[in-house]
Amino acid sequence: MAALRYFFSLLMVPISLIAAGFSLIAYMAGQTNPNESIFITFIGLAMPVILTINLLILIYWIIKKKWWIIIPIAAILLNSGYLASIFQVTISSSKLPDGKIPIRIASYNAGKFKSWEHFETQYYISEFLKNDKANIICFQEYRENTKINADTLSRLLNCPHHAIAYLPGSTTLGTGIFSKYPILQFGKIPLASQTNDAMWVDIQTGETRIRIISCHLQTTNFSKKRRLLDDPVLQNADIQQVEDVVTDISQELAQNFKIRATQAQIVRQVIDTTRIPTIVCGDFNDTPSSYTYQYIKGDLKDSFKTRGNGYAYTFRGIHHLLRIDFILYSKEFKCIDYYSPEKEWSDHNPIISEFYLK
């Protein structure tokens, strides 16, 4: 038994080094374009698993009181930025100073205003956002119907100004931004997609003009693909059939990573050429460890990291593991609030932040 324990202790050294190596690769995912290395991108997607393994290794070396403890500590500290992007503790409170204009923005992938239970959600969502006093609302997967068009939704939200960017070939689907403040100008950000889009609006808040950019980047469809693996027919299939399905899923994920990377570069070009205070929000369909998030974020701040509390997720599927919706902002703003309540109206949670101009 003593020999077995000694062998296991020796084995833990290379395991620690390998786990730390994967932690380094995962860290590199945020700086590596998927078009250059899809392997690094996939390792970045596994960041939660990799950090969990390093944490277990850390606990092991703590118990053993060995200096090898520095390896998992270094691996975890290297990705402290990622940890801060999914878990925060904000102790101090922040309030809107007297004389400042509140900019309370909600970003919501509304799932075409159809819940998982297939009931229409426009009335529920508009009542919630109106009571929350959101004065700028960005919808991704926006949809109109014969009963509720943009003008009707404006009245329900108590936001008299709106701009809609419809998907190519559609007069009902796209991205919508609604505002209590005047919209001066708006434009589409072409993503060369039939199903995903982005837009910007310039809004007058007091004496200052600000820009809001709303994005819905390339959809992963991971939940739909994962259901293929749960298909009872596949459970009884031979190994080759299972491998074919896994290969198909991997290839589609890889392709979507690459598409989002290109879309992130397009959005970033708009950010870089904007000379007024800017807020970027939306469904990026990628996590904080991704190239997509890091590239769009650049020198912007993440409102969750500034004012969030607790563990953060915005996608309600996949066991609440993913934060893929974001509100980012430029240095001219001060963020005083962030929260993302669990709501049944979509497969995403709304995210809400409040700001004022410094």
Side-chain angles (χ1 to χ4, degrees):
M1 184 63 70
L4 185 60
R5 285 198 298 268
Y6 178 70
F7 174 75
F8 183 73
S9 179
L10 290 178
L11 188 62
M12 282 301 295
V13 174
I15 289 175
S16 299
L17 292 171
I18 292 170
F22 275 101
S23 181
L24 174 61
I25 296 172
Y27 170 79
M28 293 168 57
Q31 289 77 45
T32 305
N33 190 320
N35 291 285
E36 298 172 358
S37 175
I38 196 63
F39 170 75
I40 292 178
T41 301
F42 273 111
I43 297 301
L45 185 63
M47 178 78 84
V49 176
I50 292 169
L51 290 181
T52 300
I53 292 171
N54 276 280
L55 178 61
L56 294 174
I57 293 172
L58 173 62
I59 293 171
Y60 172 82
W61 289 122
I62 289 174
I63 294 171
K64 288 294 184 178
K65 298 179 181 179
K66 299 290 186 179
W67 69 269
W68 291 104
I69 192 175
I70 64 173
I71 295 176
I73 288 176
I76 293 170
L77 288 178
L78 179 66
N79 289 291
S80 59
Y82 170 78
L83 292 173
S85 70
I86 61 171
F87 187 85
Q88 278 291 332
V89 177
T90 302
I91 299 174
S92 62
S93 61
S94 186
K95 295 182 179 179
L96 184 73
D98 292 340
K100 294 292 185 179
I101 295 174
I103 301 168
R104 189 166 182 82
I105 182 167
S107 179
Y108 198 2
N109 181 325
K112 300 177 183 177
F113 295 114
K114 282 278 191 180
S115 76
W116 281 351
E117 290 76 23
H118 304 294
F119 62 84
E120 295 282 336
T121 60
Q122 293 95 326
Y123 291 105
Y124 300 99
I125 291 173
S126 59
E127 188 68 14
F128 164 72
L129 292 174
K130 183 173 64 176
N131 290 338
D132 189 77
K133 295 182 171 55
N135 45 43
I136 300 173
I137 301 162
C138 300
F139 288 118
Q140 300 86 43
E141 290 200 39
Y142 167 85
R143 176 179 64 88
E144 297 177 2
N145 59 36
T146 54
K147 293 182 180 179
I148 302 181
N149 58 18
D151 291 335
T152 304
L153 191 57
S154 279
R155 290 194 294 272
L156 292 172
L157 292 167
N158 195 24
C159 289
H161 311 281
H162 63 266
I164 312 296
Y166 296 101
L167 287 168
S170 177
T171 57
T172 59
L173 299 174
T175 297
I177 298 179
F178 296 76
S179 173
K180 289 185 179 179
Y181 304 121
I183 294 177
L184 305 176
Q185 195 174 5
F186 80 96
K188 295 183 68 173
I189 301 175
L191 299 182
S193 172
Q194 297 296 312
T195 56
N196 298 90
D197 53 0
M199 68 178 296
W200 59 267
V201 296
D202 286 353
I203 293 175
Q204 190 72 34
T205 57
E207 297 181 352
T208 306
R209 180 174 180 147
I210 67 172
R211 175 162 292 184
I212 309 294
I213 297 173
S214 177
C215 311
H216 180 214
L217 304 186
Q218 179 69 23
T219 302
T220 299
N221 282 329
F222 183 77
S223 294
K224 187 182 295 183
K225 287 292 184 181
R226 192 190 63 168
R227 285 195 290 270
L228 292 175
L229 295 174
D230 297 331
D231 191 321
V233 175
L234 192 63
Q235 303 302 317
N236 299 318
D238 59 35
I239 294 177
Q240 185 59 51
Q241 288 177 295
V242 175
E243 288 180 352
D244 289 343
V245 172
V246 171
T247 298
D248 177 60
I249 293 174
S250 300
Q251 288 176 345
E252 182 163 345
L253 285 174
Q255 182 62 25
N256 289 334
F257 276 125
K258 294 175 182 179
I259 292 172
R260 281 194 297 275
T262 301
Q263 292 174 343
Q265 292 170 345
I266 295 171
V267 172
R268 187 68 223 187
Q269 286 176 357
V270 177
I271 298 169
D272 289 340
T273 55
T274 298
R275 297 292 178 261
I276 56 178
T278 303
I279 294 173
V280 182
C281 66
D283 174 10
F284 292 7
N285 270 306
D286 244 329
T287 68
S289 64
S290 69
Y291 173 86
T292 294
Y293 167 85
Q294 295 292 341
Y295 198 88
I296 291 177
K297 181 180 177 295
D299 56 354
L300 301 177
K301 293 183 178 180
D302 185 326
S303 61
F304 169 74
K305 295 179 73 172
T306 305
R307 300 302 308 172
N309 251 317
Y311 170 71
Y313 70 93
T314 62
F315 183 64
R316 296 177 60 223
I318 317 181
H319 308 292
H320 297 173
L321 290 176
L322 303 178
R323 183 166 86 97
I324 58 177
D325 303 82
F326 307 96
I327 298 178
L328 312 175
Y329 61 99
S330 61
K331 62 184 179 181
E332 294 87 355
F333 295 98
K334 174 76 172 180
C335 181
I336 59 174
D337 190 27
Y338 172 97
Y339 80 116
S340 180
E342 173 81 21
K343 297 296 179 182
E344 63 179 339
W345 307 313
S346 171
D347 55 348
H348 292 248
N349 289 333
I351 51 174
I352 300 165
S353 288
E354 186 166 350
F355 305 90
Y356 64 84
L357 285 158
K358 296 178 182 177

